């Protein structure tokens, strides 16, 4: 697992993908930061993260679309699939590599926190809790993006499936009953209040595990139908 | 070393591989021969565990590829068709990644990378990005990838396809040098290549094994008797009588006539060589021999004969 994690992580920064992802994110977050801090004079770090999750919806595919689609297209999947590594470790390696990019992004966010400290006393606890929520949400997004990537050879199609799915589930937010439970965005709501709720944490984790498992099943099945 | 037992592979209704069985012993170099689409790559993909057979069993070095994939796959180095490589990595990074994938111990990794780079003769491009190296080098990088971890078995799918003649010779020499330490299975549709390198040939056609044997066995078993072709200038039409005087000629057929030259096909008793007699007789009758050739039973003929579709013109 570690071998694949290392290679995939390196690959994000050998190619422009990692820089594009982090760069795009920071540009948008800077604008949000400017709006809250300088126009509206808030010093709440969590507001910035809260608003930036919409960006995450659209740029998660940058990280995930090539995961399996590109390997399949270029035929390199045969190299990993015929190695002694298990499908589980291949999938987890790729998944954790993308999660590491998210961690770097969050770490860079804290630059804004430091800037905020010059203007007042933002709560570090709330900032950390919101970051945790942000990470869990990103993890769920990545697990679905990865799943979409293993369905097709085309990175574009993988990206479209991912974004379309995120848009659909963000509409679930306003729906009622059981469907609203699947809304990843509404699960985020408690974190900016500084509350870590078990229900939401479990919700995100089970969503991630579900799509990691589905990815493994698809890859396993492909062996017999290919 | 490798046992393939009653293995088949179906894609929907299409049967790509039909119930094949064969064994490969330690130290053998086995050539998989067949026209395009015969099921060579499918069979290789099944042996390496990339795809699952629809039926049957594959045992690699005592381990069932389905039940103990980790142990079985560790014994195999695979160079797939079309040499898939990571274009964004340098040659050395790629080999290092393969070493990680193949569970090479951290302490041995550096030495192993060096060994493989030298064995495949790609030391001079080790720091180049794979997308920037030539096809011949890519082929060697892919072969180097298969060599990582010193697996007992090497499976090479069309290792020389798309190379220029010089590169083909280089790759063949490289493969021949691997003979000592590895069991090799290679596929090809180039016959001379297989007959040069392999000590066992498996001819496969439309998903079925049509013949297994050494190159010589296959040539002999499929030979169609003893043929001699001659081109002569015979102004007085005496050739027929010459032929009737040589008893070991069974049949004489006039193939074509071009200007004054006549092209004949002669079928003779096996183990006889009529060329000397024919030469002398023709000289007596003033028949000029332009060309005379004993037909060799080539693997080419054997292959064409074995893979011929019934009733088809292939």
């Amino acid at each position: 697992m570690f071998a694949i994690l290392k290679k995939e992580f390196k690959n994000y920064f050998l190619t422009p993908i990692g820089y594009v992802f982090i760069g795009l994110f920071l540009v948008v977050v800077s604008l949000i930061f400017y709006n809250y801090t300088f126009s509206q004079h808030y010093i709440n770090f969590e507001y910035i993260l809260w608003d930036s999750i919409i960006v995450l919806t659209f740029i998660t595919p940058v990280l995930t679309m090539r995961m399996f689609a590109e390997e399949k297209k270029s035929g390199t999947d045969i190299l990993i699939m015929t190695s002694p590594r298990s499908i589980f470790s291949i999938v987890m390696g790729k998944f954790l590599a993308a999660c590491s990019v998210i961690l770097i992004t969050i770490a860079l966010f804290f630059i804004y926190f430091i800037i905020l400290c010059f203007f007042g006393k933002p709560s570090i606890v709330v900032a950390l809790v919101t970051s945790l929520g942000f990470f869990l949400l990103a993890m769920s997004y990545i697990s679905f993006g990865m799943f979409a990537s293993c369905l097709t050879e085309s990175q574009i199609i993988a990206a479209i499936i991912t974004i379309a799915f995120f848009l659909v589930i963000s509409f679930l937010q306003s729906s009622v009953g059981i469907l609203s439970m699947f809304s990843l965005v509404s699960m985020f709501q408690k974190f900016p209040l500084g509350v870590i709720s078990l229900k939401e944490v479990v919700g995100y984790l089970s969503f991630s595990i579900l799509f990691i498992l589905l990815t493994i099943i698809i890859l396993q099945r492909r062996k017999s139908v290919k | 070393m490798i046992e393939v037992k009653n293995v088949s592979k179906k894609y929907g209704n299409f049967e790509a591989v039909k119930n094949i069985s064969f064994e490969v012993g330690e130290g053998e170099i086995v050539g998989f021969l067949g026209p395009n689409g015969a099921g060579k790559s499918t069979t290789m993909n099944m042996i390496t565990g990339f795809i699952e057979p629809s039926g049957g069993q594959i045992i690699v070095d005592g381990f069932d590829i389905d039940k103990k994939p980790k142990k079985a796959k560790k014994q195999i180095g695979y160079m797939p068709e079309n040499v898939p490589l990571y274009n964004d990595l340098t040659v050395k990074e790629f080999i290092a990644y393969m070493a990680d994938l193949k569970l090479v111990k951290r302490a041995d990794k550096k030495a192993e990378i060096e060994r493989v780079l030298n064995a495949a003769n790609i030391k001079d491009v080790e720091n180049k990005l794979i997308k920037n190296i030539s096809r011949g080098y890519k082929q060697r990088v892919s072969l180097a990838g298969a060599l990582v971890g010193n697996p007992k078995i090497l499976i090479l799918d069309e290792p020389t396809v798309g190379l220029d003649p010089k590169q083909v010779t280089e790759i063949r020499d490289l493969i021949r040098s691997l003979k000592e330490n590895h069991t090799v299975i290679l596929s090809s549709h180039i016959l001379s290549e297989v007959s040069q390198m392999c000590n066992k040939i498996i001819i496969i056609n439309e998903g079925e094994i049509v013949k297994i044997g050494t190159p010589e066995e296959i040539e002999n078993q499929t030979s169609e008797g003893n043929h001699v072709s001659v081109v002569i200038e015979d102004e007085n039409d005496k050739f027929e009588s010459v032929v009737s005087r040589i008893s070991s000629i069974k049949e004489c057929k006039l193939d074509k006539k071009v200007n004054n030259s006549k092209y004949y096909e002669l079928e003779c008793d096996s183990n006889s060589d009529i060329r000397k007699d024919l030469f002398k007789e023709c000289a007596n009758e003033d028949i000029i021999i332009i060309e005379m050739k004993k037909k060799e039973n080539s693997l080419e003929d054997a292959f064409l004969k074995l893979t011929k579709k019934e009733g088809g013109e292939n």
Side-chain angles (χ1 to χ4, degrees), chain B residues 1-173:
Chain B
M1 210 67 192
I2 300 173
E3 288 172 61
V4 174
K5 294 177 189 166
N6 307 320
V7 166
S8 56
K9 180 72 194 173
K10 278 183 199 160
Y11 298 107
N13 287 328
F14 174 66
E15 237 183 332
V17 172
K18 299 168 193 160
N19 200 26
I20 62 169
S21 304
F22 62 90
E23 272 181 39
V24 178
E26 197 163 347
E28 277 186 320
I29 296 202
V30 175
F32 247 175
L33 205 56
N36 289 327
K40 301 186 298 269
S41 293
T42 308
T43 311
M44 290 188 147
N45 280 338
M46 287 194 285
I47 297 173
T48 52
F50 183 56
I51 55 177
E52 266 170 18
S54 327
Q57 197 184 23
I58 296 170
I59 293 170
V60 177
D61 196 27
F63 304 108
D64 190 318
I65 191 88
D66 191 32
K67 290 177 186 122
K68 294 240 190 283
K70 198 171 169 178
K71 283 186 173 158
K73 284 176 182 176
K74 229 185 147 214
Q75 313 300 333
I76 299 177
Y78 187 25
M79 173 181 175
E81 203 181 2
N82 304 327
V83 292
L85 297 167
Y86 292 98
N87 285 326
D88 294 326
L89 299 182
T90 65
V91 171
K92 201 172 182 178
E93 281 169 338
F94 172 73
I95 301 296
Y97 181 48
M98 292 309 286
D100 282 337
L101 282 180
K102 289 185 169 179
L103 313 163
V104 173
K105 286 195 193 101
R106 192 174 286 233
D108 310 332
K109 201 173 135 184
K110 225 175 164 182
E112 179 64 12
I113 294 171
E114 284 302 306
R115 183 190 74 84
V116 169
L117 288 174
N118 287 323
N121 205 3
I122 46 174
K123 191 87 178 102
D124 47 334
V125 292
E126 63 174 2
N127 292 319
K128 281 195 180 175
L129 283 177
I130 289 176
K131 63 178 156 205
N132 295 332
I133 60 176
S134 69
R135 172 88 207 205
Y137 270 118
K138 279 185 187 166
Q139 213 98 346
R140 275 193 261 170
V141 171
S142 180
L143 183 57
L147 290 172
V148 173
N150 208 10
K152 290 183 189 166
I153 300 162
L154 288 176
I155 297 187
L156 316 172
D157 199 350
E158 310 222 333
T160 58
V161 93
L163 296 180
D164 67 40
K166 188 167 167 274
Q167 293 168 327
V168 169
T169 331
E170 282 168 6
I171 287 269
R172 277 184 200 164
D173 289 341

Side-chain angles (χ1 to χ4, degrees), chain A residues 75-90:
Chain A
T76 46
D77 55 339
I78 200 167
L79 295 175
I80 45 175
M81 299 303 271
T82 58
S83 78
R85 302 280 172 180
S86 65
I87 292 183
F88 175 77
S89 67
I90 293 165

Side-chain angles (χ1 to χ4, degrees), chain A:
Chain A
M1 181 160 81
F2 187 69
I4 292 153
L5 198 168
K6 199 175 81 184
K7 187 250 164 193
E8 289 293 317
F9 182 73
K10 250 167 83 184
N11 209 56
Y12 279 127
F13 296 101
L14 283 174
T15 55
I17 295 164
Y19 302 106
V20 166
F21 179 84
I22 294 176
L24 262 176
F25 223 123
L26 290 182
V27 165
V28 179
V29 171
S30 305
L31 294 174
I32 299 169
F33 174 77
Y34 180 82
N35 180 35
Y36 276 120
T37 313
F38 294 105
S39 305
Q40 300 177 34
H41 308 292
Y42 287 111
I43 53 155
N44 299 59
F45 183 68
E46 62 272 18
Y47 290 178
I48 303 168
L49 279 183
W50 182 224
D51 276 10
S52 66
I53 59 172
I54 181 74
V55 189
L56 198 60
T57 310
F58 291 99
I59 71 168
T60 302
V62 173
L63 286 186
T64 60
M65 64 187 189
R66 47 171 288 285
M67 279 181 166
F68 288 100
E70 196 192 26
E71 298 245 19
K72 201 175 163 200
K73 184 147 199 180
S74 63
T76 46
D77 55 339
I78 200 167
L79 295 175
I80 45 175
M81 299 303 271
T82 58
S83 78
R85 302 280 172 180
S86 65
I87 292 183
F88 175 77
S89 67
I90 293 165
V91 171
M92 284 312 283
K94 284 182 178 269
F95 176 71
L96 293 178
C99 290
S100 320
V101 178
I102 296 288
L103 280 181
I104 291 177
T105 316
I106 294 176
L108 289 171
F109 278 177
F110 273 82
I111 295 170
Y112 298 105
F113 186 81
I114 294 165
I115 298 171
L116 286 176
C117 288
F118 288 106
F119 298 104
K121 277 202 169 126
S123 161
I124 182 80
V125 178
V126 175
L128 286 174
V129 170
T130 317
S131 301
L132 172 72
F134 183 85
F135 179 71
L136 288 171
L137 174 68
M139 203 169 87
S140 310
Y141 277 1
I142 287 170
S143 67
F144 183 82
M146 178 169 77
F147 170 71
S149 178
C150 89
L151 295 177
T152 165
E153 275 184 24
S154 155
Q155 298 190 34
I156 304 289
I157 291 174
I160 291 171
I161 295 174
T162 312
I163 293 176
F165 180 78
F166 291 162
L167 288 179
V168 168
I169 58 167
S170 66
F171 286 127
L172 293 179
Q173 203 182 168
S174 47
S175 67
V176 280
I178 193 128
L179 277 180
S180 66
M181 279 172 61
F182 292 97
S183 168
L184 295 175
V185 175
S186 62
M187 273 196 252
F188 186 73
Q189 276 160 351
K190 279 186 190 162
F191 290 96
L193 306 173
V195 181
I196 302 178
S197 143
L198 192 64
K199 188 182 147 203
E200 273 77 27
V201 174
V202 171
Y204 280 136
L205 288 179
S206 25
F207 184 91
S208 305
I209 291 169
L210 172 70
F211 283 101
I212 289 171
L213 284 178
L214 284 175
T215 309
I216 294 173
I217 291 169
I218 296 273
L219 291 177
Q220 187 74 48
R221 227 191 103 59
R222 190 170 292 153
K223 271 175 77 176
S224 53
V225 293
K226 194 157 39 186

